[in-house]
Amino acid sequence: MIEAADALFTKIHAYDPSVDGDKLKRAFIFGMEAHDGQTRASGEPYYIHPIAVANMLADMRLDLDTVITALLHDTVEDCDVTLDALDAAFGSGIAQLVDGVTKLSRIGLQAGQNSLQAENFRKLLLAMSEDVRVLLVKLADRTHNMNTIDHIPKPEKRTRIARETLEIYAPLAERIGVTNLQHALENAAFGVLQDEMAQTITARLDYMVNESEIIIPMISVELQDVVERGGVECSVSGRLKSSYSIWRKMQRKKVTMDQLSDIMAFRILVPSTADCYQALGSLHAAYPNVMGRFKDYISTPKRNGYQSLHTGVIGPENHKIEIQVRTPEMHTIAEYGVAAHWNYKDPSSDKKLRKFKWIQELVGILDEEAGAEEFLEHTKMDLYHDQVFCFTPRGDLIALPKGATAVDFAYAVHSKIGQKCCGVRINGKNRQLATELENGDQIDIITKATARPLAEWENFVKTGRAKSGIRRAVRAERAVEFSRVGKSILQKAFLEVNKPLKKRAMEKIPQIFGVLKPEDLFALVGEGRMQPELVIEKMFPDLAKSKKRVRPTGETDRDRSKSRKPLLKIQGVNPGVAITMARCCHPLPGEEIVGIFTTGKGVTVHRAECATLVDFNDMPELWMDVGWEHEGPKRVMGRLNTVLSNEPGALAAVATIIGQQGGNISNIHLTDRNADFFSFQLDLEVKDVEHMRTVIAVLQANNFVERVERTSNI
């Protein structure tokens, strides 16, 4: 195989005289030894494959590291070779490229997936190919595998690989402009998936080749004569279109092959952009053009950087032909796409690169100090870096925004999964629901019938679907709570007028108040949107007219109001109105507070310094002047953010301290954990703010406690 190594070196040396021949030879030998004893389905030694891939990339004039990556691209996946070994032998750059190709090789389209899934797979491949050379090696690898696919014995495996090629890899090659690989992939896959049709078209093309042995050269000579008589030097080449492109046109136009008249295509290369338009003018002056076939991809390039003028004419001997007019530079880009830019070594290379605006979308900005020969070495894929692509256990692919969590994934699969999720396994390991997902993660959502979304999930989810689902669930839960509170308020009010709230009375509620069920009315009372006195008046109009009520001697309306104890003793709020302590700042007795009235929620009490109050600056009508009563509530909820050393007994010590100080832990929520520390939110029942300060002071003195502070939006 020394001859093959020498031939590869000669090929690279022709476009890069500075090539390190020793490094190339070492990689050649390393790959052969790693694959020693392995064979392909054809029976050939396995190392024939990486050598063929390396030659494809050398034909595209790629840098040495890319060619070496091709020689070694299967060593980690198929041999007992580690990335550390590659790093030691050839450097971290090549090791990273091989690692990237290995990761892409593990991704495949599942059987039965639809076109949307195929598009997601293409995006995933782009997102995981941080260095564009990884994708180029993978495309060349797939091209050679497709060229030898007939040696795979199982028809179903050939079909799966061909469909994956046609739906994922060929469009990727088109996307980055490598049309030579695109066409090779399309035709090979077409031959597997549409065998009879491919053979029919190929046989017809073979017949036409024999007929066109004279026609194509004759037309080429005449086209060249027309253009050069117009004052532009050119070269002309002609060909019959590929079997796949012909089939696709037959499908699009719904015609037979015999009805297609423009299956001959001619390419005219001219020195400059201005010459392209001058040559086009000469052609249109000499031949009738086919209406609707002219396309100017020079002034408006395709997204992958492709530039050319396309036209259709009734050419020599009345043959309907397609013509492409472009410069040699445009032709190189048309064939090799992003790979073509590695050749631009002249001082004006930066200016040339800026011409191709699509590169700004495809790759990172080229270092201004770097030469153009380093272009591919420093390019980083930017496409779809704002997205992550993750798998369900059965192989479905879900696209999510960057930073999305397991909860976002659960809602993306189905809203019911999101509503009932209680845990997650990521790549087989139990993780927190707030964990940010990465490309290629396999996500297994754990659900439970009794699980429910938590309001704090809204703080870390990214998708609108998840946020909406969480809010909907929290609203429903609050409605249940308001209904429970409202029913309790009504029961007490009904007892005061000697009218117990029994089943018969409840059955009248929907008809009297226009609600669907009694619980809806209870919720209105619990929220403070319906006063219990009004409910009694409507349900017992005779009682309301007579205003008969037996009062204990000396009782006043004020005394009666006092008999209905509010949920919390807060001044300025009418009895029966729902009161909620703000979760953003968790106010405690002894602190200055402000009330915000919200329709459907009642009054939310904030600490006076809470930053959330800024949102209500333009709504003074919602502000309520509230304050703590002298006889404050026995217990209120406060929240602490706590960081403890990750040591045995740390949590037990905290619980003991809180108990000794008269506090009561009502909830613990772990937020982060590593080898040294773990963080959590601690909900405590305390008497007032001074009580909370005492608890914090004692906790801060403990050796296990790294940090403790009140949760506050201030």
Side-chain angles (χ1 to χ4, degrees), residues 364-495:
I365 299 173
L366 183 64
D367 183 357
E368 293 180 1
E369 302 299 323
E373 68 275 7
E374 298 177 4
F375 174 74
L376 283 178
E377 183 177 352
H378 295 291
T379 56
K380 297 293 180 184
M381 303 286 281
D382 271 344
L383 287 177
Y384 311 115
H385 271 198
D386 58 342
Q387 290 180 282
V388 290
F389 303 88
C390 302
F391 294 92
T392 66
R394 69 178 189 179
D396 294 333
L397 193 64
I398 304 293
L400 294 165
K402 188 74 172 177
T405 65
V407 175
D408 293 292
F409 184 91
Y411 275 99
V413 174
H414 198 284
S415 58
K416 291 182 180 179
I417 302 296
Q419 299 291 70
K420 296 300 178 183
C421 70
C422 61
V424 63
R425 282 188 291 270
I426 301 178
N427 301 324
K429 295 182 180 179
N430 289 326
R431 302 293 296 276
Q432 293 181 342
L433 286 171
T435 302
E436 289 191 9
L437 306 180
E438 297 181 357
N439 278 314
D441 281 347
Q442 185 177 73
I443 312 299
D444 186 5
I445 299 295
I446 303 167
T447 60
K448 188 191 300 182
T450 57
R452 57 179 177 76
L454 302 179
E456 51 262 35
W457 288 1
E458 196 176 343
N459 296 328
F460 59 73
V461 297
K462 297 294 182 183
T463 60
R465 185 170 185 176
K467 288 180 184 290
S468 175
I470 293 167
R471 289 170 185 164
R472 188 165 56 250
V474 170
R475 281 198 304 269
E477 185 179 344
R478 285 178 178 169
V480 171
E481 182 61 20
F482 279 131
S483 179
R484 185 187 65 79
V485 172
K487 184 175 182 180
S488 177
I489 292 171
L490 280 180
Q491 284 174 334
K492 291 179 181 179
F494 274 48
L495 284 174

Side-chain angles (χ1 to χ4, degrees), residues 203-215 240:
R204 177 66 174 155
L205 285 174
D206 290 341
Y207 173 77
M208 295 182 69
V209 165
N210 294 329
E211 280 193 335
S212 60
E213 282 183 355
I214 299 175
I215 295 175
L240 294 174

Side-chain angles (χ1 to χ4, degrees), residues 53 57 60 62 66 131-141 176 178 181 336 338-339 376:
V53 175
L57 297 170
M60 295 165 66
L62 285 164
T66 309
D131 191 320
V132 68
R133 293 174 296 178
V134 170
L135 193 55
L136 290 169
V137 173
K138 183 59 185 173
L139 289 172
D141 169 54
I176 64 171
V178 191
L181 297 185
Y336 302 125
V338 65
L376 283 178

